[in-house]
């Protein structure tokens, strides 16, 4: 994510992410779960813009414009700017830098909410990067990463937002290169899922953590090898999400969407993050568009054809 100056304003595009693989390795003493996950950016963007106009140099504000990319408008939840990660991120950075936060942020929200697509986390990372530029606070990448971790488990990933394996709570990031572009169909049902609720629903694994860690790293290595070899159909066999069974117990509709994507000939279908979005890996951009068109007619929610990457 690279903010750019437009006149006196600054802008940045904040992408969504997909978890092509997500394993839960265990529960930690801080209440979070130890994860191993492969994340890639996907070309669905929120847009964040900062302008210097402000009532005073010691006040900052946020407005939000919700745009529906496809599907029913009931996918729009009311969004309270006061309760948004953008303002929290801006205040956190200002406090760390020892300056008053100022100016006006405008967020154009296109990434579906409560979807497992990381929209809120991406907005928060975008705010840190944007504010660091427009306020000339010059915090280092390491300092921004520390603030990002405070804001949420997925926020550090979005500071770079390339393909990466994320571990720990999500904040230990190993960047990856050389993965092929994937054509995907993204289906966000009309309902969202709460991340804490999905984690609470997760069944305890009986396997010791060490065994889970070893099995997971082997499965992930196979997935990455297949992707790097360009064998996407083989890679799909290794794409799984440990949270999917828990989320499907809360929302069986997820299974119906997976079946619909399989029916249309997708190579793989799985839930991303803690849901509720289901992703189908298509054979081509044309098949992704065709599948999205067909599924749009089935009232499943927001259906988009997109591609991984920037
Ligand atoms: O960090 P974030 O605010 O995204 O986490 C939301 C909730 O998701 C946490 O309060 C926790 O219940 C759950 N979570 C978890 N382990 C993680 C990430 C999130 O248990 N690694």
């Amino acid at each position: 994510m690279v903010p750019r100056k437009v006149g006196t304003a600054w802008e940045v595009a904040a992408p969504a992410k997909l978890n092509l693989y997500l394993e839960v390795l265990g529960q930690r003493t801080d209440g979070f779960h130890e994860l191993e996950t492969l994340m890639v950016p996907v070309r669905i963007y929120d847009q964040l813009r900062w302008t210097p106009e402000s009532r005073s140099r010691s006040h900052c504000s946020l407005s939000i414009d919700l745009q529906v990319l496809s599907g029913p408008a009931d996918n729009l939840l009311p969004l309270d700017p006061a309760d948004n990660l953008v303002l929290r991120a801006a205040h956190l950075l200002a406090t760390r830098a020892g300056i008053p936060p100022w100016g006006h942020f405008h967020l154009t929200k296109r990434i579906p909410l409560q979807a497992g697509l990381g929209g809120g986390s991406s907005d928060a990372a975008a705010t840190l990067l944007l504010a660091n530029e427009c306020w000339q606070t010059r915090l280092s990448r390491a300092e921004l990463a520390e603030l990002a971790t405070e804001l949420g488990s997925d926020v550090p990933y979005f500071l770079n937002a390339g393909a990466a394996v994320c571990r720990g709570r999500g904040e230990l990031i190993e960047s990856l290169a050389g993965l092929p572009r994937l054509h995907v169909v993204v289906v966000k049902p009309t309902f969202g899922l709460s991340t804490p609720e999905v984690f609470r629903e997760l069944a305890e694994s009986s396997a010791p953590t060490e065994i889970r860690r070893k099995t997971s790293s082997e499965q992930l290595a196979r997935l990455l090898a297949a992707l790097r070899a360009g064998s996407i159909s083989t890679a799909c066999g290794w794409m799984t999400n440990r949270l999917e069974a828990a989320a499907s117990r809360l929302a069986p509709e997820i299974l119906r969407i997976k079946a619909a994507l399989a029916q249309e000939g997708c190579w793989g279908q799985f839930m991303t993050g803690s849901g509720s979005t289901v992703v189908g890996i298509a054979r081509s951009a044309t098949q992704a568009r065709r599948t999205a068109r067909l599924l749009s007619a089935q009232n499943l929610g927001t259906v988009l054809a997109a591609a991984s990457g920037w």
Side-chain angles (χ1 to χ4, degrees), residues 31-35 121 151-154 168-170 195-197 199:
F32 285 87
H33 290 78
E34 186 82 12
L35 305 180
S121 303
L151 289 162
S153 306
D154 283 346
R169 243 178 83 191
T195 303
E197 216 176 299
F199 272 101

Side-chain angles (χ1 to χ4, degrees), residues 3-4 10 127-138:
R4 59 189 195 106
W10 282 86
T127 308
L128 293 177
L129 294 168
L130 197 67
N132 200 35
E133 291 293 340
C134 61
W135 296 339
Q136 299 184 353
T137 39
R138 296 196 174 84

Side-chain angles (χ1 to χ4, degrees), residues 50 52 54 56-61 87 89-105 131 134-137:
W50 177 88
S54 173
S56 76
R57 271 247 177 182
S58 59
H59 175 83
C60 98
S61 55
L87 278 188
H91 281 104
L92 193 63
L93 181 126
T95 304
R96 167 63 69 95
I99 60 152
W102 69 285
H104 182 72
F105 291 93
C134 61
W135 296 339
Q136 299 184 353
T137 39

Side-chain angles (χ1 to χ4, degrees), residues 15 35 48 60 64 79 83 96-97 111 135 137 139 162 192 201 207 231 237 244 274-275 277 282 298 303-304 308:
L35 305 180
L48 186 65
C60 98
I64 304 174
L79 271 184
D83 185 32
R96 167 63 69 95
I111 302 172
W135 296 339
T137 39
L139 295 195
E201 183 66 27
S231 179
E244 190 180 292
S274 57
T277 299
Q298 295 182 29
V303 185
L304 303 166
S308 65

Side-chain angles (χ1 to χ4, degrees), residues 14-27:
K17 56 85 177 165
L18 302 177
N19 299 78
L20 301 183
Y21 176 84
L22 192 159
E23 181 56 289
V24 179
L25 299 172
Q27 183 145 24

